[in-house]
Amino acid sequence: MNDVELPSAKGIDYRNLEKLLAAGKWKEANEETINKMLEVMGRQKEGWLFVGDIDNFPCEDLRTIDQLWVKYSNGRFGFSVQKRIYQSLGGTREYDEKIWQAFGDKVGWRKNDKWLYYSEVIFNTSAPYGHL
């Protein structure tokens, strides 16, 4: 389990996230990822990130989170997987509703032209690539 370094620009401890991912506890790992991202940006009280937080999120932490997800999902899940899919559909930093919907369809976040509720997300490796 220890062959992935867990660097953090903000001194965040990612060992619990690694444990959850290694155990295949995808839903708990997703929730831990959210909590760690809030912790990185000091947004635990708000419970969400602001748009500007995305541009200021430390690359080191984003890379650590992504590498853990990619490693323990055998390349199925992670930000880099989602980025590759999004860009393959023509996605850029500029919002395009059609591309965003196509992305949602591709990663399984939309069914029958409707966005899934969180309770409908698939938290296992049968989910489409990029689903988590």
Side-chain angles (χ1 to χ4, degrees):
M1 204 162 64
N2 293 337
D3 57 344
V4 173
E5 284 188 40
L6 305 174
S8 170
K10 303 278 187 148
I12 305 299
D13 182 353
Y14 291 106
R15 287 177 295 190
N16 189 48
L17 176 59
E18 184 175 27
K19 265 189 241 159
L20 293 168
L21 288 166
K25 295 183 176 180
W26 306 109
K27 186 172 188 178
E28 294 90 339
N30 188 64
E31 291 164 6
E32 178 74 355
T33 298
I34 293 165
N35 290 334
K36 290 300 174 184
M37 291 182 76
L38 293 171
E39 186 179 343
V40 166
M41 297 310 294
R43 300 282 188 217
Q44 300 97 316
K45 190 176 73 176
E46 291 90 344
W48 66 82
L49 296 177
F50 295 100
V51 174
D53 291 337
I54 303 307
D55 287 333
N56 295 313
F57 201 92
C59 293
E60 198 174 10
D61 290 81
L62 196 60
R63 197 173 300 113
T64 296
I65 293 167
D66 179 58
Q67 287 175 348
L68 287 170
W69 275 92
V70 170
K71 175 185 177 181
Y72 290 107
S73 70
N74 294 313
R76 292 190 76 82
F77 309 135
F79 295 129
S80 60
V81 176
Q82 293 171 340
K83 178 184 177 187
R84 207 167 29 255
I85 293 167
Y86 184 68
Q87 289 179 331
S88 77
L89 297 168
T92 65
R93 284 184 59 102
E94 296 299 315
Y95 176 74
D96 180 305
E97 188 173 358
K98 282 191 189 335
I99 291 172
W100 185 241
Q101 288 176 347
F103 174 76
D105 292 338
K106 185 90 173 162
V107 300
W109 292 351
R110 281 172 37 103
K111 289 217 169 86
N112 303 318
D113 294 328
K114 290 192 170 40
W115 292 94
L116 298 182
Y117 291 102
Y118 185 75
S119 62
E120 299 172 298
V121 171
I122 302 166
F123 287 104
N124 62 54
T125 53
S126 71
Y129 278 81
H131 193 73
L132 302 174

